[in-house]
Amino acid sequence: MSGEDKFDVIIIGAGPAGTACAYTLAKEGKNVLVIERGVTAGSKNVTGGRFYTYALDLVEPGLWKDATLERKVTHEQIMMMDGNQSITIDYSNPLFNKEGEMPQSFTILRAVFDEWFASKAEEQGAVIACGIKVDGLIEENGRITGVKAGGDEMFADLVIAADGVNSMIAREAGLVPELSDKTIGVGVKEIIELPAKTIEERFHLKPGEGASLLMLGCTEGIHGGGFLYTNNESISLGCVFTPSEAAAHGRQVHDIFQDLKMHPSIYPLIEGGKTVEYGAHLVREEGYRGIPKQLYRDGLMVIGEAAGFVLNIGYTIRGIDLAIVSGVAAARAVISGSNPGPAYLEELKNIKLLPSMKAVDGYFDLLEIHRLYETYPKVAGGVFNKMYSISGETPVSIKKGIWGVLKDNKVSLWQLVKDGIRGYRSI
Amino acid sequence: MSNVIVCFKWVKAEDDLRIDSSTLAVDLSKSKGKISDYDRNAIEAARIASEAAGSETVALTFGSADTKTALKDALSRGPKQAFWVNDVSAENADGFVTANMLAAAIRKIGSYSLIVCGEGAADTYAHQVGPRIGALLDIPVISFVKEMRIDGNRLYAVRKLEDSLEQVEADLPAVVTVLPEINPAPIPGLKAVLEGGKKPVTEFKIQDLDLEDGDTSRKTDVVSFKGCSMSRKKILINEGDAKERVTALVAALKKEGVL
C-alpha cells in the first residue's frame, strides 16, 4: 500500500461524534480522513436538535461562540396530556444562562450545525470526503486495516465507526447485534417555520432565548413521547414511539403525530407555521444497558450513537453532547499512544461519559412502566379537572376526587405504591 | 492533441429555494451551490474525449468566492487541473459577460484542441455561452451534441435536432455544447474525491485577463425575478353518503374542466 492510500485514522461518519474526533486528532497533527455518506455533513440528519454546550468546550474552549446555534434554552417544560386536557410544568433558572458565561444548552438545526462543525475540523487539517458510502471493512489476520468504499480501498492504523444508530460497520465487525424493536424508538419530526417574533411571543421568550418541551401522554398509550424545540425561525416538533407497540396498536405513527399537532395545547404554538421538513429516524432507548459489551477490537473503535451513547430519561434527551464527548475520548486514546482500545475505555471513564450514563441507568426501568404513557397522564388530568371544576355545586373533597379518578382508571393502591417504589428506586 | 477544456457553472441547488407564495419573491439564501447538472455530463464527456486522444482535461469556471467548493468537486471528476476566474460579478453575469470571461481565460490558458460546454446551464438554460465562446475565438461550434468522436484533427459529432439527427464534422479546435445524454456523469469514488482536493487550481482575477471596455457589462437586463407558485383551491367534499360524495366530486372535477 502506498502512502497515498494510508491514513493514521479513518472515521466513518461526519456527525458530531466523528467530527469531534477528527477535529481533536487533526489538531494534534494526525492524518485523518472522514468519510461521509451525505452530500454534506448533516445533510442526512433529522435529529430535533438540542445540544449541551459543555461538550463543544471539551473539543476546543470557546469554540461554541463561533458555532451556528439557534436559541439558548432558558425554559425547560414538561407537558402531560390526556385527551384535550394538559398540565405543563415550566422550569426556568437564570443561573443556567448567566450573563457573559457559556449558556448550558442550545437548540440547533443539525444540517447547519454539522456542516459548520465539519468545516472547523477541515480547518484543523482533517480531510472530509462527502457523498461516499463505506461498503465495508478490510480485515487482515483478525485486524481491521481499512475500509472499502465504491471500488476503492483505503487503509489506516485505526478505523473509527461513527455511523450512527443503525451502525452497519459496528455490526459487520461483530461488536453490535441487530437492533431489536424493543430497544429502539422510531422518531418522526417536522420543522415548522414561524417568524422569530411569533415564537418569542408564544413561548414568552426574549430574542435569543428558547424553550425545550417534552410531552407525555400524546402517544395513545404507546411507550414514547413528544418533543418540541424552538429554533430561531422554526419549531422542531416530533414524537418517538416503540415501533412494535405502535404496530400492535393498529394506528399509523404519522396519524398519531398529526393528532399531536392538532392538540389544543400544541396547535396554538405552531398555528400559521409552514412545515419545511419532515423526517423519520431510529433512536436508541436503552441508555447505559444499550452500550455494546465491546466498544473496540483490533484496529476498530465505535463512537457516538453507533456505540449506544444516547440518553432518554424522560425529562431530557441527550445524544449530541455524548457523541461529541465520545469522539474526544477516542481521539485522546489515539493521541496517548498506548493501546487505543483499552485506552479508549479508560478515557470514556475519565471524561465521565460512562459514569454519567450509568448514574441514570434506572430510568430505563421507570420508562418501562406502561401506565406512564396513558394511565398516569389521565389520572393527573382527572385530578386537575376535579381541582379546577367549579360549578357552584358542593365539591367532593380532593382526597375523594383522587380516589375516584384512580378507580375510574383502574389503578389500584397496590399498583400505585409499586410503581411509586419502582420509580423512586430508578431515579 | 492539446488540452480539452471543459467549462462548468456553479449554480444554486433548486431543492432549497424558498418561494414566498404571496409576493412570489425567491429566497436564495438557504440554497447551497452545486455544479450545474448538465455540466457534470459535460465534464465526463471531456474526460472521455481527452482520454481517447491521449491529452489532458482542464476545467474552467467563472464564479464568485463560494465557487471554491466547486473546483474540488469538478477536479474529482477527472480534470487534471482547474482554472478559475474569480469575481463577484459572476453572480449576475449574463451569457455575454460569461463568454467574454471564459474566452479571455482560454486565450490565457493557451493551447487547446476542444472546448466542451453543457448545452445550457441548470439555472438559466440560455444556450449562450458555448456559441459565444466559439465566435470570440473564431472557431467552429457544434451544438446539441449527443455523440462525438475525434479522429486526428477531425471532430465527428451527432446533433440531436427536434425531429432528426444530424451528423456533422469540423476541424479542431472547436467548441461543442453537449446534451446530458452524451454520457452518464458518474459519482466520483473515494480516491477520486481525495485526489480532487490535491489537484492544482489557477486563479485569475478580471484584471489578469485581456478584456476590452464593455466586455464586463451585461447585454441583458433582468427586469424581475419571481417564483412560480401553484395555489390549491382547497375544496373539501365531506357531506352525504359515498354516492353523494362521488357525484359531488365528479361534478366539481367537471366544473374545473379536468374531466
Side-chain angles (χ1 to χ4, degrees), chain A residues 14-220:
Chain A
T19 301
C21 189
Y23 186 107
T24 313
L25 287 169
K27 201 178 162 203
E28 289 296 320
K30 295 285 178 191
N31 193 10
V32 190
L33 167 65
V34 186
I35 306 175
E36 165 59 38
R37 187 173 172 180
V39 182
T40 54
S43 67
K44 290 188 71 67
N45 192 281
V46 294
T47 299
R50 161 160 205 192
F51 163 72
Y52 291 89
T53 328
Y54 78 95
L56 214 46
D57 234 37
L58 274 180
V59 176
E60 174 94 59
L63 186 62
W64 66 274
K65 288 181 196 157
D66 190 28
T68 42
L69 304 163
E70 297 290 308
R71 291 171 180 270
K72 58 180 182 189
V73 177
T74 52
H75 289 259
E76 307 277 1
Q77 302 172 338
I78 297 177
M79 185 186 283
M80 281 218 271
M81 301 161 131
D82 168 47
N84 282 339
Q85 50 182 350
S86 69
I87 304 158
T88 307
I89 299 167
D90 181 324
Y91 176 72
S92 94
N93 186 343
L95 286 178
F96 291 155
N97 293 288
K98 273 198 241 166
E99 193 64 40
E101 286 182 19
M102 179 173 83
Q104 178 178 267
S105 173
F106 282 93
T107 57
I108 57 172
L109 290 171
R110 282 285 301 277
V112 185
F113 177 82
D114 285 13
E115 198 176 3
W116 164 81
F117 198 19
S119 76
K120 287 286 148 183
E122 250 176 336
E123 280 173 23
Q124 294 297 327
V127 179
I128 301 188
C130 290
I132 290 164
K133 180 177 173 284
V134 171
D135 300 313
L137 297 165
I138 302 169
E139 190 175 331
E140 289 168 36
N141 306 319
R143 179 185 166 80
I144 305 298
T145 55
V147 300
K148 283 177 270 190
D152 296 331
E153 295 191 332
M154 198 60 65
F155 296 89
D157 293 334
L158 181 70
V159 175
I160 296 181
D163 52 340
V165 56
N166 200 7
S167 171
M168 185 201 79
I169 296 300
R171 214 160 46 228
E172 185 192 332
L175 297 179
V176 181
E178 285 281 340
L179 289 175
S180 141
D181 60 357
K182 303 280 184 301
T183 57
I184 51 154
V186 176
V188 293
K189 186 194 74 175
E190 282 186 14
I191 293 182
I192 301 164
E193 271 189 354
L194 280 167
K197 212 166 172 298
T198 309
I199 293 173
E200 283 147 18
E201 280 164 12
R202 289 181 184 177
F203 290 85
H204 312 293
L205 304 166
K206 295 197 188 90
E209 291 184 352
S212 152
L213 168 63
L214 296 184
M215 293 152 250
L216 209 57
C218 59
T219 50
E220 300 188 358

Side-chain angles (χ1 to χ4, degrees), chain A residues 4-5 7 33 35 40 115 122 127 129 132 149 152-154 193 276, chain B residues 18-21 30 32 72 187-195 198:
Chain A
E4 288 279 291
D5 299 342
F7 286 82
L33 167 65
I35 306 175
T40 54
E115 198 176 3
E122 250 176 336
V127 179
I132 290 164
D152 296 331
E153 295 191 332
M154 198 60 65
E193 271 189 354
V276 292
Chain B
R18 300 285 174 81
I19 295 167
D20 186 313
S21 52
K30 294 203 169 67
K32 289 184 184 134
K72 220 167 130 181
I187 297 166
L190 178 58
K191 283 190 182 163
V193 168
L194 294 179
E195 280 162 17
K198 292 179 195 153

